[in-house]
Amino acid sequence: MASTHHEAVSRPAILDEVKPVAVPRPVIIANNRSLSWITNKVCGIVEERTPTWWWVAFLLSAVIASFTLFGLIWQVSSGTGVWGLNHPVMWGWAIVNFVFWIGIGHAGTLISAILCLLKQDWRTSINRAAEAMTIFAVVCAGIFPLFHVGRVWFGWWLFPLPTSNMIWPNFRSPLEWDVFAVSTYGTVSVLFWYMGLIPDLATLRDRARVAWRKVFYGVFAMGWRGSNRHWSNYEMAYLLLAGLSTPLVLSVHTIVSFDFALANLPGWHTTIFPPYFVAGAIFSGFGMVLTLMLPLRAMYGLHDLITQYHIDCMTKICLATGTMVGYAYAMEFFIAWYGANPYEGFAFVNRAFGPYWWAYFIMIGCNVISPQFFWFKRIRENWAFVWILSIFINIGMWFERFVITVSSLANDYLPSSWGYYSPTIVDIFTFFGTFGLFGVLFLLFVRFLPLMAFAEIKAVSPHGNPHGPSHAKHPSLGSETQGTGVAEQSGYNPGGDRT
């Protein structure tokens, strides 16, 4: 009794007057859309007639992709000299483009793996497209190191296969590490992407009215029926893949940065490269997600599934990583000054004020200055301006890789060997053709596979919360759903949607 009286006396009176403010949760699915509406909206992109703009974009992308084909045929038949490689710059656009495309693919793994483990529900509307973007970017990236070896038919020598001559790759070379890192990254990305597709493919299978669609989606749905055991195994496998993919987000671009950091060359030999490259990869990856998803949001009317909250989150990540990249640029100059190495100091002064000054200041303008606009809410709410800034981000990130690669090689230790690197028409055709290849693959994905993981979107929608207000008002969801069948109204879908 005494202790109770003592607690009552010792408790500050102000605590009895404090009432915690309920912070409203951000709206992930706008307009309180029902589960059947989400299914119909996403599946309709695949099931409806192909729009005219898709054919125009696909044909244009296919024509541009042919540039890469012609460029590679020319390069194989004539040699790597047609790429403009010469002393002292023996790494040109090929390595620049490889690092650029690998960076583009980082957002998919980050959104799917790390944000999944961090329980960020807003990722569900964009993770499917980002994962597809990752796979297609890795395909484009793999072209350049493979053909950069010159004799592409000997590319299999990069793998540790026993031969009669006992010829083995140089495992101390970071270029060899790239083979293992990128191949592992691509394999895990495909598995992660396909794992998330299975429930949605089952829904498309059950909704299909054409025989070939039933067979196509049925084969890849792998007999999914949406049972409790299926969902239990699916969620465990998805969680394991998220855990496996998380280290890859950090390791892949770290190993790519070792291509430069392990070389004893001013401008490259620095320990800041691994975190610097990882931040830049996430920066460029989210820039490409915005570049792709904002037009699709407008053309398919997905404003209720990709809300302003999603755009805010992505732009804020671009702002954070862009600021990190700008900090890394400043620290490079500080390290060169503090290290008192005259060669290192010259490399960075030459990078900013030497023959490639124009590329350096394009990089600064696009990567450091343009993301600062995202501080302002009015800018973030203007999707057209956000889309333009996202393009600037990717332009700047390509120039970052160009500045790092070319400026350090063009002006090395020996002034008599200095030169000025310029790309050839084959370089230009091969690089810009990869955008066409990327476009072809992404457009095929949009046309034949669900653009969004609607099974996951339903789980974070208001109707997916059994304790939410929508269930209190409509216990059976009957008055909210727009489906025609009893199964959809009761929250059960034989195609495997966890409604």
Side-chain angles (χ1 to χ4, degrees), residues 39-51 54 128 197 200-201 203-205 207-208 210 212-213 216-217 300 302 443-452 454:
T39 301
N40 293 332
K41 190 65 176 178
V42 179
C43 291
I45 298 173
V46 178
E47 295 168 343
E48 293 174 357
R49 187 173 181 177
T50 307
W54 187 94
R128 176 70 51 73
L197 274 169
D200 296 342
L201 291 175
T203 301
L204 288 172
R205 173 200 64 198
R207 292 168 57 99
V210 183
W212 73 266
R213 285 182 178 270
F216 176 76
Y217 296 124
Y300 285 118
L302 302 173
L443 286 167
L444 289 173
F445 156 72
V446 170
R447 186 67 193 95
F448 295 105
L449 295 173
L451 177 63
M452 295 180 175
F454 54 86

Side-chain angles (χ1 to χ4, degrees), residues 36 64 87 146 220 230 247 261 269 298 324 371-372 378 401 436 448:
S36 60
I64 297 175
H87 289 294
L146 179 63
F220 288 101
H230 285 183
H269 194 64
M324 293 177 193
Q372 304 309 313
R378 185 169 296 180
R401 282 66 181 251
F448 295 105

